[in-house]
Amino acid sequence: MRKILFYLMVAFYLLAGSAHFIIPEFYYGMMPPYIPYHYEVNILAGVSEILLALALLPKSTRVFAAWGIILLLIAVFPANIQMSLNAYESKDPKFLLTLIRLPFQILFLAWAWMFTKKDPA
C-alpha cells in the first residue's frame, strides 16, 4: 500500500505542477492580493511541485522532497483560503466545495509526512 501511495503522490504533484502551466488563470484567481508577482509565483509553485515530485523518486532525496512538499503545502494554504473568500464574496455556488477542500490540506500533509522517514523496507 505504501508503494501505491508513493507513486500516486509522485503523479499527483507532477500533474498539479503541470497544471500551473496549463491553466495558470485558475491559480492567479486564488492568489491573495497581497502576494505580488502572480505570474512569477505561479511559475515558481509549478516548478517546485514538479521538482519535488521528481525528487521523491530517488531514495536519497525522498525525505528532503517530502519535507519540501510539506513546506509548500503550508506556503500555499493562504491561496486555498483566498479561493473560499472569493467564492463567498461572489456568492459562487461552489463556495461549499471550497470549504470542503480546506481540510483536505491536512490529508495532503499527512500523505507527505508518510515519506519524511526512511523507508523501512
Side-chain angles (χ1 to χ4, degrees):
M1 183 62 153
R2 180 180 167 91
K3 194 172 251 189
I4 292 170
L5 288 172
F6 170 74
Y7 286 113
L8 281 174
M9 187 161 79
V10 170
F12 178 82
Y13 284 101
L14 284 173
L15 290 171
S18 299
H20 285 266
F21 302 98
I22 298 167
I23 49 168
E25 301 79 20
F26 173 77
Y27 295 96
Y28 299 152
M30 64 190 289
M31 283 190 211
Y34 59 83
I35 294 179
Y37 308 108
H38 286 190
Y39 174 81
E40 292 82 359
V41 170
N42 179 58
I43 296 293
L44 179 62
V47 168
S48 296
E49 287 180 342
I50 292 168
L51 290 177
L52 288 168
L54 294 174
L56 284 168
L57 292 170
K59 285 186 179 185
S60 62
T61 56
R62 189 167 298 159
V63 171
F64 169 79
W67 279 110
I69 289 170
I70 288 170
L71 291 174
L72 183 66
L73 287 168
I74 292 168
V76 301
F77 190 69
N80 292 298
I81 294 171
Q82 187 65 49
M83 186 183 346
S84 289
L85 290 172
N86 293 346
Y88 176 78
E89 290 171 359
S90 68
K91 298 184 184 355
D92 188 328
K94 296 178 189 158
F95 171 63
L96 183 58
L97 292 176
T98 67
L99 287 180
I100 292 169
R101 181 183 175 179
L102 293 174
F104 273 91
Q105 298 306 306
I106 296 167
L107 294 175
F108 294 145
L109 286 166
W111 192 9
W113 179 261
M114 289 176 57
F115 300 99
T116 61
K117 309 289 185 260
K118 293 280 185 198
D119 190 354

